[in-house]
Amino acid sequence: MKAPASAPTTGSPASPQEPRWLTDEEQRVWRWFMEGATLLDDHLDRQLQRDAGMPHVYYGLLVKLAEAPRRRLRMTELAMLAKITRSRLSHAIARLEKSGWVRREDCPDDKRGQFAVLTDEGLHVLRQTAPGHVEAVRQAVFDRLSAEQQKSLGEIMRIIAEGLQPAEAGADLPWLR
Amino acid sequence: MKAPASAPTTGSPASPQEPRWLTDEEQRVWRWFMEGATLLDDHLDRQLQRDAGMPHVYYGLLVKLAEAPRRRLRMTELAMLAKITRSRLSHAIARLEKSGWVRREDCPDDKRGQFAVLTDEGLHVLRQTAPGHVEAVRQAVFDRLSAEQQKSLGEIMRIIAEGLQPAEAGADLPWLR
DNA sequence: GGGCTCTCCTTGAACTTTAAACAAATGGCC
DNA sequence: GGCCATTTGTTTAAAGTTCAAGGAGAGCCC
């Protein structure tokens, strides 16, 4: 799907080395993966845009804040938890601030630092929209999979995720993971 | 992760019905899913942006065109295959046209219609960059999963994808799926 | 303290995506 | 033929994301 099918099997490897093409079976897996992931993310994005007035990623930010100690997190910490760049987070928080769901606060210890703080209004939106969102996730994913499949899915995605975590990520931030 | 943990189990269902919250275990699965999918897509996006000068979705469009009969597809057909809106496709093709990798062609049968055609140059870029891309996919996914896991992953994602396919999609387009 | 490097976060421009509105062509129906 | 709903693809503007650059404070070494 994403790449030409199996390889024209060669004898000795050439200089740039014969690419390890995907087999037909691997291609099928890969195609379903991309298709499922795309459709799911688009679906949840539309659901949240409609019901909560924000994209999926922004919703995820509010959730992280809601779970944090005083409903607040340092920008860098939030960025790492949400797996997005600080730049993207800056823009996102600016938008959420404009919507009144998050406010910024200076960090007393470090004058460079900023906290993103979930406002009462933000918490309210989250409470209002969480049920609908969980239901959407359930209908799209959990309702359709057996207990075994759910377990597999978790393991598989954990493996993939951990493989892509920049090795040093969080190594020096003990309070992460 | 995406939603508060398990439910304050109620006796009788309330009016808007007690939300079917995710259990802790489901939450873990869901968190790894989102995290893995996000990291993987970002990773491949960066890989292709760096090596091919285009985002992952655009690369996917070139692949679809390369696999199509005369390296060409109607806009609507391509949009359905790639699971994107026609609007998005219009913009994408405009960009790819500017890069010289795709050209538009009028449809003789239907004056509204347009074909997107993969140019020789486009095919060349694809050939150049496919090996690197497959390798990236392999390293991030297939090299890390057992045969069993690969099979599970395919099945699971197929189930999710098919559940989200608008039911009528392609029903009237027999040449699709 | 002075100088150096690194970290924290923001900014602006370029690019991509979304959503809504639209023109043109088709196809069916009378 | 004439009308009307639908399909096809594009366009516009607003929203979101990426990339490279930069200001400002912290940390360290002398």
Side-chain angles (χ1 to χ4, degrees), chain A residues 61-124:
Chain A
L61 295 176
L62 298 194
V63 172
K64 300 285 189 203
L65 289 175
E67 292 171 345
R70 300 175 50 221
R71 280 165 31 187
R72 78 194 52 213
L73 286 169
R74 289 285 296 269
M75 294 295 279
T76 296
E77 190 176 355
L78 180 49
M80 299 187 80
L81 287 171
K83 266 74 196 174
I84 63 176
T85 63
R86 276 183 300 210
S87 169
R88 186 173 175 181
L89 181 61
S90 268
H91 291 295
I93 292 296
R95 184 311 203 162
L96 289 171
E97 206 171 17
K98 205 176 299 185
S99 302
W101 301 330
V102 168
R103 107 183 93 80
R104 284 182 223 247
E105 226 171 80
D106 290 341
C107 175
D109 307 340
D110 185 339
K111 286 181 185 164
R112 297 167 302 178
Q114 289 276 104
F115 282 105
V117 186
L118 184 64
T119 63
D120 291 344
E121 205 181 336
L123 188 57
H124 179 72

Side-chain angles (χ1 to χ4, degrees), chain B residues 92-105 114:
Chain B
I93 293 297
R95 193 287 211 178
L96 290 170
E97 204 169 18
K98 204 176 298 185
S99 302
W101 300 330
V102 168
R103 107 183 92 80
R104 286 183 221 248
E105 227 171 80
Q114 289 275 103

Side-chain angles (χ1 to χ4, degrees), chain A residues 154-170:
Chain A
E155 275 177 43
I156 292 168
M157 296 310 289
R158 183 177 52 66
I159 292 172
I160 293 176
E162 290 178 343
L164 290 169
Q165 291 290 9
E168 74 288 353

Side-chain angles (χ1 to χ4, degrees), chain B residues 25-65:
Chain B
E25 190 42 36
E26 287 168 331
Q27 293 240 28
R28 269 190 286 281
V29 171
W30 183 236
R31 171 181 122 219
W32 285 120
F33 181 87
M34 291 310 300
E35 189 163 323
T38 302
L39 289 172
L40 181 53
D41 203 47
D42 289 358
H43 178 68
L44 295 180
D45 247 332
R46 274 193 303 279
Q47 184 266 317
L48 283 170
Q49 191 68 58
R50 174 166 51 74
D51 298 345
M54 67 188 125
H56 194 185
V57 178
Y58 290 23
Y59 183 87
L61 295 176
L62 298 194
V63 172
K64 300 285 188 201
L65 289 175

Side-chain angles (χ1 to χ4, degrees), chain B residues 74-76 87 90-91 104 112:
Chain B
R74 287 286 296 268
M75 295 295 280
T76 296
S87 170
S90 266
H91 291 295
R104 286 183 221 248
R112 296 166 303 179

